């Protein structure tokens, strides 16, 4: 293994302070970072180390995409955009066609993540089709077996889920962490969710929550789109007294609350009281399905951390995380220079924390997952802003201290 140092003209620590270190470096061994600081000082302290300094590069923790559905990677024009109701109806009619083509597209989607500088993903798996590809990929994966099942007869759904989850548990490794997702209030029977969550321990739990007005109406017993939905599809309707009762399923859990577009202060406060939530915002998916974006100001005020994700090709134009971050940067309702650190921490430190990983930041003891990008500006906030506007693909990517893609400059033993 041995000690290694990577250095670059501009280093983004992605620590809570969002410090930028000009001519910085990171010392690591195997999977973990040992020390971070000025490159020349680090090299003087550890002169026998294999080291490389990238003159025109930005070094940061590898990006993290905490919510993506690889199984829907083949979606191009099969699902309807413009309303959540229209989208869900089209998913019900056309998903089998999309899933049939999955194999050919999932590998490409994995490559796309790596090429964007993404080292870790939170993969939502409804069927387990994506498991072998993700297990074999260089990505660090938190693999969420997703529970779906509205019917009151919970035993068969529980058995099927447990079998699927057991296959994921067999794949567990330092880079593959099995976990559980509860799809959404409108698609999961309360008793089934309770049984799954009380039987299987999960390091983190993910759920789609209040993505649409229709879902809010459903949880408030106000009828609307979901009133006829179940009869139409030969299903029975799940029942929750309120959005708060759905959140009560996640007592004590580390929780990824995905979307929460229609969550109010009381919902966010309740999530904080009973669980350890991070809100996962997928701006392009929200715009395409529900028409609007998350009110970051309100969520910041509630003291809930936000991470950013692409969602799947099922509700997006593509799953390019850098494009997602740029969209957020243009569209958020907060001052530009406050948005920049919030977005970059949302795809590093906060995303890592949400997934229960110790990464997403260049700090001693954290994962040695690094992304290097071409960088020709000044090593300051303005330079980083221009980099975010321009950057299209990673220059090199390291996961667990190992080079995985992009240009490989041999470390020089100096
Ligand atoms: O996050 C988006 C929109 N909200 C809900 N579900 C999904 C999203 N992208 C894909 N999905 C999947 C979900 O995992 O769509 C299906 C599930 O398999 C909906 S349930 C019929
Ligand atoms: Fe999703």
């Amino acid at each position: 293994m041995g000690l290694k140092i990577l250095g670059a003209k501009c280093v983004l620590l992605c620590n809570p302070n969002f410090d930028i270190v000009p001519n910085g470096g990171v010392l690591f061994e195997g999977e973990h970072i040992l020390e971070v600081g000025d490159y020349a000082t680090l090299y003087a302290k550890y002169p026998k180390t294999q080291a490389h300094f990238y003159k025109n590069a930005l070094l940061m923790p590898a990006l993290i995409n905490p919510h993506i559905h690889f199984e829907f990677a083949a979606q191009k024009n099969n699902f309807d955009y413009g309303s959540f109701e229209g989208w869900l109806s089209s998913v019900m009619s056309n998903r089998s066609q999309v899933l049939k083509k999955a194999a050919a597209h999932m590998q490409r989607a994995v490559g796309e993540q790596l090429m964007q500088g993404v080292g870790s993903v939170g993969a939502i798996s409804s069927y387990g089709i994506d498991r072998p590809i993700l297990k074999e990929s260089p990505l660090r994966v938190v693999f969420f077996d997703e529970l779906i099942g509205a019917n009151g007869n919970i035993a068969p759904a529980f058995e099927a889920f447990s079998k699927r989850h057991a296959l994921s548990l067999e794949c567990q490794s330092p880079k593959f962490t099995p976990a559980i997702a509860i799809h959404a209030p409108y698609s999961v029977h309360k008793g089934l969710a309770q049984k799954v969550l009380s039987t299987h321990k999960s390091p983190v739990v993910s759920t789609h929550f209040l993505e649409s007005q229709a879902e809010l109406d459903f949880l408030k017993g106000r009828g609307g789109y979901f009133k006829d939905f179940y009869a139409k599809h030969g299903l029975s309707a799940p029942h929750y007294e309120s959005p708060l009762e759905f959140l009560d399923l996640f007592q004590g859990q580390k929780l990824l609350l995905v979307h929460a577009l229609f969550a109010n202060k009381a919902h966010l406060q309740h999530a904080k009281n009973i669980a350890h939530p991070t809100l996962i915002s997928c701006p392009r998916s929200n715009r395409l399905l529900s028409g609007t974006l998350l009110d970051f100001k309100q969520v910041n005020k509630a003291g809930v951390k936000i991470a950013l994700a692409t969602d799947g090709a099922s509700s997006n134009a593509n799953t390019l995380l850098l494009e997602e971050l740029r969209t957020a940067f243009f569209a958020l309702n907060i001052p530009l220079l406050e948005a920049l650190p919030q977005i970059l921490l949302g795809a590093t430190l906060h995303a890592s924390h949400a997934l229960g990983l110790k990464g997403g930041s260049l700090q001693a003891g954290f994962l040695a997952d690094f992304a290097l990008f071409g960088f020709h500006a000044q090593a300051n906030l303005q330079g980083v802003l221009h980099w975010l506007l321009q950057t299209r693909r990673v220059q090199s990517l390291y996961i667990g201290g190992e080079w995985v893609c992009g240009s490989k400059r041999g470390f020089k033993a100096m």
Side-chain angles (χ1 to χ4, degrees):
M1 248 186 315
L3 296 176
K4 288 178 181 154
I5 301 176
L6 276 178
K9 177 182 181 180
C10 179
V11 175
L12 294 187
L13 299 188
C14 295
N15 57 352
N17 233 359
F18 199 68
D19 291 319
I20 300 170
V21 184
N23 300 316
V26 54
L27 172 80
F28 61 102
E29 184 170 35
E31 284 257 294
H32 293 102
I33 297 173
L34 299 177
E35 213 173 311
V36 180
D38 176 68
Y39 177 82
T41 311
L42 274 181
Y43 191 57
K45 201 166 157 190
Y46 303 95
K48 297 237 163 67
T49 312
Q50 294 182 27
H52 190 82
F53 186 83
Y54 290 79
K55 261 197 316 220
N56 291 312
L58 175 144
L59 168 65
M60 67 183 296
L63 294 170
I64 299 171
N65 190 358
H67 184 84
I68 174 167
H69 304 250
F70 285 98
E71 291 172 323
F72 289 94
Q75 201 291 129
K76 268 259 148 64
N77 45 30
N78 312 75
F79 297 168
D80 294 351
Y81 292 169
S83 81
F84 173 79
E85 294 87 329
W87 176 82
L88 188 56
S89 299
S90 68
V91 170
M92 298 303 284
S93 318
N94 304 337
R95 75 180 142 178
S96 57
Q97 260 167 272
V98 174
L99 293 166
K100 250 196 277 171
K101 296 183 286 179
H105 288 83
M106 289 187 296
Q107 200 71 58
R108 178 186 49 74
V110 167
E112 228 173 51
Q113 299 305 299
L114 298 169
M115 173 281 259
Q116 294 277 290
V118 172
S120 304
V121 294
I124 307 294
S125 175
S126 309
Y127 308 96
I129 315 174
D130 47 350
R131 190 188 303 105
I133 284 177
L134 291 172
K135 170 67 190 147
E136 292 309 317
S137 86
L139 286 167
R140 192 182 293 286
V141 179
V142 177
F143 188 79
F144 291 95
D145 284 307
E146 183 174 63
L147 179 69
I148 304 179
N151 282 332
N153 178 14
I154 65 178
F158 175 76
E159 287 310 316
F161 177 84
S162 297
K163 264 198 198 148
R164 188 153 55 86
H165 191 50
L167 295 175
S168 302
L169 290 169
E170 279 173 23
C171 297
Q172 182 150 15
S173 78
K175 275 181 44 205
F176 188 97
T177 307
I180 292 173
I182 304 298
H183 175 250
Y186 55 82
S187 61
V188 183
H189 187 280
K190 185 168 65 184
L192 177 61
Q194 282 166 337
K195 176 129 203 229
V196 162
L197 290 172
S198 61
T199 310
H200 303 292
K201 207 173 144 27
S202 184
V204 288
V205 178
S206 180
T207 191
H208 295 91
F209 179 62
L210 288 184
E211 179 181 11
S212 64
Q213 181 66 49
E215 181 183 331
L216 183 60
D217 290 341
F218 163 77
L219 284 171
K220 294 224 164 205
R222 291 197 289 236
Y225 169 73
F226 282 107
K227 189 161 169 277
D228 305 321
F229 177 87
Y230 301 97
K232 202 167 139 194
H233 294 286
L235 300 164
S236 52
H239 178 75
Y240 296 90
E241 283 299 319
S242 66
L244 303 188
E245 200 198 17
F246 177 73
L247 289 172
D248 284 340
L249 289 172
F250 306 103
Q251 194 88 37
Q253 304 272 15
K254 288 198 72 180
L255 178 64
L256 293 92
L257 269 187
V258 182
H259 306 312
L261 262 189
F262 291 82
N264 64 22
K265 245 206 269 174
H267 303 138
L268 296 174
Q269 191 54 49
H270 191 70
K272 262 176 73 178
N273 290 345
I274 57 122
H276 308 283
T278 301
L279 205 160
I280 312 296
S281 185
C282 308
R284 293 188 296 170
S285 169
N286 292 162
R287 173 69 179 133
L288 291 170
L289 270 49
S290 295
T292 181
L293 300 194
L294 181 72
D295 182 349
F296 272 55
K297 248 194 219 152
Q298 181 195 254
V299 179
N300 286 339
K301 231 197 249 161
V304 177
K305 290 264 179 340
I306 304 173
L308 287 148
T310 59
D311 218 335
S314 25
S315 59
N316 209 334
N318 55 51
T319 49
L320 300 174
L321 186 60
L322 291 169
E323 273 196 27
E324 199 70 48
L325 302 186
R326 268 191 289 278
T327 302
F329 190 54
F330 280 111
L332 288 191
N333 63 343
I334 46 177
L336 201 68
L337 295 181
E338 279 172 40
L340 184 66
Q342 180 151 5
I343 287 166
L344 291 173
L345 292 179
T348 53
L349 183 63
H350 299 163
S352 175
H353 178 78
L355 290 175
L357 302 171
K358 196 171 178 192
S361 186
L362 304 183
Q363 298 184 48
F366 279 52
L367 290 167
D369 295 353
F370 310 121
L372 283 142
F373 295 91
F375 184 83
H376 299 275
Q378 302 260 15
N380 57 27
L381 204 62
Q382 278 300 320
V384 175
L385 185 157
H386 287 288
W387 164 79
L388 180 62
L389 292 179
Q390 310 292 342
T391 192
R392 292 296 182 274
R393 56 157 54 228
V394 78
Q395 194 173 62
S396 320
L397 180 67
Y398 291 77
I399 300 177
E402 303 274 341
W403 172 87
V404 294
C405 80
S407 66
K408 188 179 188 182
R409 304 278 280 276
F411 282 98
K412 288 176 216 141
M414 291 190 270

Short mmCIF file of all heavy atoms in Angstrom, two decimals, residues 67 69 72 84 87-88 91-92 95 124 126-127 146 148 183 186 208 211 259 285 289 311-312 314-315, ligand 1:
data_model
loop_
_atom_site.label_atom_id
_atom_site.label_comp_id
_atom_site.label_asym_id
_atom_site.label_seq_id
_atom_site.Cartn_x
_atom_site.Cartn_y
_atom_site.Cartn_z
N HIS A 67 -29.09 9.66 -4.59
CA HIS A 67 -30.39 9.10 -4.97
C HIS A 67 -30.48 8.94 -6.48
O HIS A 67 -30.63 9.90 -7.22
CB HIS A 67 -31.54 10.01 -4.46
CG HIS A 67 -32.90 9.45 -4.73
ND1 HIS A 67 -33.51 8.54 -3.90
CD2 HIS A 67 -33.77 9.66 -5.74
CE1 HIS A 67 -34.70 8.23 -4.38
NE2 HIS A 67 -34.88 8.89 -5.51
N HIS A 69 -31.93 5.88 -9.60
CA HIS A 69 -32.57 4.59 -9.91
C HIS A 69 -31.91 4.05 -11.18
O HIS A 69 -32.31 4.44 -12.29
CB HIS A 69 -34.07 4.77 -10.20
CG HIS A 69 -34.86 5.44 -9.12
ND1 HIS A 69 -35.78 4.77 -8.35
CD2 HIS A 69 -34.90 6.73 -8.68
CE1 HIS A 69 -36.35 5.61 -7.49
NE2 HIS A 69 -35.84 6.82 -7.68
N PHE A 72 -33.99 2.23 -14.07
CA PHE A 72 -34.79 2.98 -15.05
C PHE A 72 -33.89 3.75 -16.03
O PHE A 72 -34.33 4.70 -16.68
CB PHE A 72 -35.74 3.94 -14.32
CG PHE A 72 -36.87 3.23 -13.62
CD1 PHE A 72 -36.76 2.89 -12.27
CD2 PHE A 72 -38.02 2.87 -14.30
CE1 PHE A 72 -37.80 2.23 -11.62
CE2 PHE A 72 -39.06 2.21 -13.65
CZ PHE A 72 -38.95 1.89 -12.31
N PHE A 84 -47.03 15.24 -11.71
CA PHE A 84 -46.72 14.01 -11.01
C PHE A 84 -47.75 12.93 -11.34
O PHE A 84 -47.40 11.76 -11.56
CB PHE A 84 -46.68 14.26 -9.49
CG PHE A 84 -46.54 13.01 -8.70
CD1 PHE A 84 -45.30 12.39 -8.56
CD2 PHE A 84 -47.65 12.41 -8.12
CE1 PHE A 84 -45.17 11.21 -7.84
CE2 PHE A 84 -47.54 11.23 -7.41
CZ PHE A 84 -46.29 10.63 -7.27
N TRP A 87 -47.12 11.55 -14.69
CA TRP A 87 -45.89 10.73 -14.65
C TRP A 87 -46.20 9.36 -14.05
O TRP A 87 -45.86 8.33 -14.65
CB TRP A 87 -44.81 11.45 -13.83
CG TRP A 87 -43.56 10.64 -13.67
CD1 TRP A 87 -42.53 10.50 -14.56
CD2 TRP A 87 -43.22 9.79 -12.55
NE1 TRP A 87 -41.57 9.64 -14.08
CE2 TRP A 87 -41.97 9.19 -12.84
CE3 TRP A 87 -43.85 9.50 -11.34
CZ2 TRP A 87 -41.34 8.33 -11.97
CZ3 TRP A 87 -43.22 8.61 -10.45
CH2 TRP A 87 -41.98 8.04 -10.78
N LEU A 88 -46.87 9.34 -12.88
CA LEU A 88 -47.11 8.06 -12.21
C LEU A 88 -48.01 7.16 -13.07
O LEU A 88 -47.75 5.96 -13.18
CB LEU A 88 -47.72 8.28 -10.82
CG LEU A 88 -47.83 7.03 -9.95
CD1 LEU A 88 -46.46 6.34 -9.77
CD2 LEU A 88 -48.42 7.36 -8.58
N VAL A 91 -45.85 5.68 -15.64
CA VAL A 91 -44.96 4.65 -15.06
C VAL A 91 -45.74 3.33 -14.93
O VAL A 91 -45.24 2.26 -15.29
CB VAL A 91 -44.41 5.08 -13.67
CG1 VAL A 91 -43.69 3.93 -12.97
CG2 VAL A 91 -43.47 6.27 -13.81
N MET A 92 -46.98 3.43 -14.44
CA MET A 92 -47.79 2.23 -14.26
C MET A 92 -48.00 1.52 -15.61
O MET A 92 -47.95 0.30 -15.68
CB MET A 92 -49.16 2.57 -13.65
CG MET A 92 -49.08 3.19 -12.26
SD MET A 92 -48.22 2.20 -11.04
CE MET A 92 -49.43 0.96 -10.66
N ARG A 95 -43.75 1.01 -17.46
CA ARG A 95 -42.47 0.67 -16.81
C ARG A 95 -41.88 -0.64 -17.29
O ARG A 95 -40.66 -0.78 -17.37
CB ARG A 95 -42.58 0.73 -15.29
CG ARG A 95 -43.31 -0.41 -14.65
CD ARG A 95 -43.39 -0.30 -13.15
NE ARG A 95 -44.68 -0.78 -12.72
CZ ARG A 95 -45.08 -0.86 -11.47
NH1 ARG A 95 -44.30 -0.46 -10.50
NH2 ARG A 95 -46.27 -1.33 -11.16
N ILE A 124 -31.29 3.26 -5.62
CA ILE A 124 -32.61 2.74 -5.22
C ILE A 124 -32.97 1.61 -6.17
O ILE A 124 -33.09 1.81 -7.38
CB ILE A 124 -33.69 3.84 -5.33
CG1 ILE A 124 -33.28 5.09 -4.55
CG2 ILE A 124 -35.05 3.29 -4.87
CD1 ILE A 124 -33.20 4.93 -3.06
N SER A 126 -35.65 -1.21 -7.11
CA SER A 126 -37.02 -1.72 -6.89
C SER A 126 -37.10 -3.22 -7.14
O SER A 126 -38.01 -3.88 -6.63
CB SER A 126 -38.00 -1.02 -7.83
OG SER A 126 -37.89 0.38 -7.75
N TYR A 127 -36.20 -3.75 -7.97
CA TYR A 127 -36.33 -5.16 -8.39
C TYR A 127 -35.06 -6.00 -8.17
O TYR A 127 -35.11 -7.21 -8.31
CB TYR A 127 -36.71 -5.22 -9.88
CG TYR A 127 -37.92 -4.37 -10.19
CD1 TYR A 127 -37.77 -3.06 -10.67
CD2 TYR A 127 -39.20 -4.85 -9.94
CE1 TYR A 127 -38.89 -2.26 -10.92
CE2 TYR A 127 -40.32 -4.06 -10.18
CZ TYR A 127 -40.15 -2.76 -10.68
OH TYR A 127 -41.25 -1.98 -10.90
N GLU A 146 -35.70 -1.44 -2.33
CA GLU A 146 -36.88 -0.59 -2.13
C GLU A 146 -38.13 -1.44 -1.91
O GLU A 146 -38.46 -2.30 -2.74
CB GLU A 146 -37.07 0.33 -3.33
CG GLU A 146 -38.23 1.29 -3.14
CD GLU A 146 -38.33 2.30 -4.28
OE1 GLU A 146 -38.54 1.87 -5.43
OE2 GLU A 146 -38.18 3.49 -4.02
N ILE A 148 -42.02 -1.85 -2.01
CA ILE A 148 -43.26 -1.33 -2.60
C ILE A 148 -44.33 -2.39 -2.31
O ILE A 148 -44.08 -3.59 -2.47
CB ILE A 148 -43.14 -1.14 -4.13
CG1 ILE A 148 -41.96 -0.22 -4.46
CG2 ILE A 148 -44.43 -0.56 -4.71
CD1 ILE A 148 -41.75 0.01 -5.95
N HIS A 183 -40.65 2.91 -0.41
CA HIS A 183 -40.83 3.75 -1.59
C HIS A 183 -41.50 5.08 -1.29
O HIS A 183 -40.89 6.13 -1.47
CB HIS A 183 -41.58 3.01 -2.71
CG HIS A 183 -41.87 3.91 -3.87
ND1 HIS A 183 -43.12 4.35 -4.19
CD2 HIS A 183 -41.04 4.51 -4.76
CE1 HIS A 183 -43.06 5.17 -5.23
NE2 HIS A 183 -41.81 5.27 -5.59
N TYR A 186 -47.83 6.53 -0.56
CA TYR A 186 -48.96 6.10 -1.38
C TYR A 186 -48.79 4.69 -1.93
O TYR A 186 -49.71 4.13 -2.52
CB TYR A 186 -49.20 7.09 -2.54
CG TYR A 186 -47.97 7.34 -3.42
CD1 TYR A 186 -47.63 6.46 -4.44
CD2 TYR A 186 -47.16 8.45 -3.21
CE1 TYR A 186 -46.50 6.68 -5.22
CE2 TYR A 186 -46.04 8.68 -3.99
CZ TYR A 186 -45.71 7.80 -5.00
OH TYR A 186 -44.59 8.01 -5.76
N HIS A 208 -39.17 8.32 -0.50
CA HIS A 208 -39.73 9.45 -1.26
C HIS A 208 -40.84 10.03 -0.41
O HIS A 208 -41.76 9.31 -0.02
CB HIS A 208 -40.32 8.97 -2.59
CG HIS A 208 -39.34 8.40 -3.56
ND1 HIS A 208 -39.03 7.07 -3.61
CD2 HIS A 208 -38.61 8.99 -4.54
CE1 HIS A 208 -38.16 6.85 -4.58
NE2 HIS A 208 -37.87 8.00 -5.17
N GLU A 211 -43.56 14.46 -2.46
CA GLU A 211 -43.03 14.92 -3.75
C GLU A 211 -44.08 15.73 -4.50
O GLU A 211 -43.73 16.53 -5.37
CB GLU A 211 -42.67 13.66 -4.55
CG GLU A 211 -42.13 13.92 -5.93
CD GLU A 211 -41.81 12.62 -6.66
OE1 GLU A 211 -42.21 11.55 -6.17
OE2 GLU A 211 -41.17 12.69 -7.71
N HIS A 259 -37.00 14.44 -1.86
CA HIS A 259 -37.92 15.46 -2.41
C HIS A 259 -38.49 16.42 -1.35
O HIS A 259 -38.08 17.57 -1.30
CB HIS A 259 -39.06 14.85 -3.24
CG HIS A 259 -38.60 13.93 -4.34
ND1 HIS A 259 -37.60 14.28 -5.21
CD2 HIS A 259 -39.01 12.68 -4.69
CE1 HIS A 259 -37.42 13.29 -6.06
NE2 HIS A 259 -38.24 12.31 -5.77
N SER A 285 -35.67 16.68 -11.49
CA SER A 285 -36.79 15.75 -11.35
C SER A 285 -38.01 16.49 -10.80
O SER A 285 -39.14 16.32 -11.28
CB SER A 285 -36.37 14.61 -10.41
OG SER A 285 -37.46 13.82 -10.04
N LEU A 289 -41.57 16.86 -12.80
CA LEU A 289 -42.77 16.14 -12.33
C LEU A 289 -43.73 17.06 -11.57
O LEU A 289 -44.94 17.01 -11.79
CB LEU A 289 -42.37 14.96 -11.43
CG LEU A 289 -42.15 13.62 -12.14
CD1 LEU A 289 -41.25 13.75 -13.34
CD2 LEU A 289 -41.62 12.59 -11.17
N ASP A 311 -31.76 11.78 -9.02
CA ASP A 311 -32.88 10.87 -9.23
C ASP A 311 -32.54 9.98 -10.43
O ASP A 311 -31.40 9.97 -10.89
CB ASP A 311 -34.20 11.63 -9.44
CG ASP A 311 -35.39 10.93 -8.75
OD1 ASP A 311 -35.30 9.72 -8.55
OD2 ASP A 311 -36.38 11.60 -8.43
N GLY A 312 -33.47 9.23 -10.97
CA GLY A 312 -33.16 8.36 -12.10
C GLY A 312 -33.45 9.01 -13.43
O GLY A 312 -34.07 10.08 -13.49
N SER A 314 -35.59 8.05 -15.06
CA SER A 314 -37.05 7.94 -15.01
C SER A 314 -37.75 9.28 -14.80
O SER A 314 -38.93 9.41 -15.07
CB SER A 314 -37.44 6.99 -13.87
OG SER A 314 -36.43 6.95 -12.87
N SER A 315 -37.01 10.26 -14.26
CA SER A 315 -37.64 11.55 -14.00
C SER A 315 -36.64 12.68 -14.27
O SER A 315 -36.64 13.69 -13.58
CB SER A 315 -38.14 11.62 -12.56
OG SER A 315 -37.06 11.43 -11.66
O1 LIG B 1 -38.08 9.77 -7.50
C1 LIG B 1 -38.79 9.51 -8.68
C2 LIG B 1 -40.19 10.00 -8.52
N1 LIG B 1 -40.87 9.44 -7.37
C3 LIG B 1 -41.08 8.12 -7.17
N2 LIG B 1 -40.50 7.09 -7.70
C4 LIG B 1 -39.53 7.01 -8.61
C5 LIG B 1 -38.75 8.06 -9.08
N3 LIG B 1 -37.97 7.61 -10.06
C6 LIG B 1 -38.21 6.31 -10.18
N4 LIG B 1 -39.15 5.93 -9.31
C7 LIG B 1 -39.64 4.54 -9.29
C8 LIG B 1 -39.80 3.91 -7.94
O2 LIG B 1 -38.59 3.43 -7.44
O3 LIG B 1 -40.91 4.51 -9.86
C9 LIG B 1 -41.67 3.45 -9.31
C10 LIG B 1 -40.80 2.81 -8.25
O4 LIG B 1 -40.16 1.70 -8.79
C11 LIG B 1 -42.92 4.07 -8.79
S1 LIG B 1 -44.03 2.98 -7.95
C12 LIG B 1 -45.06 2.45 -9.22
#
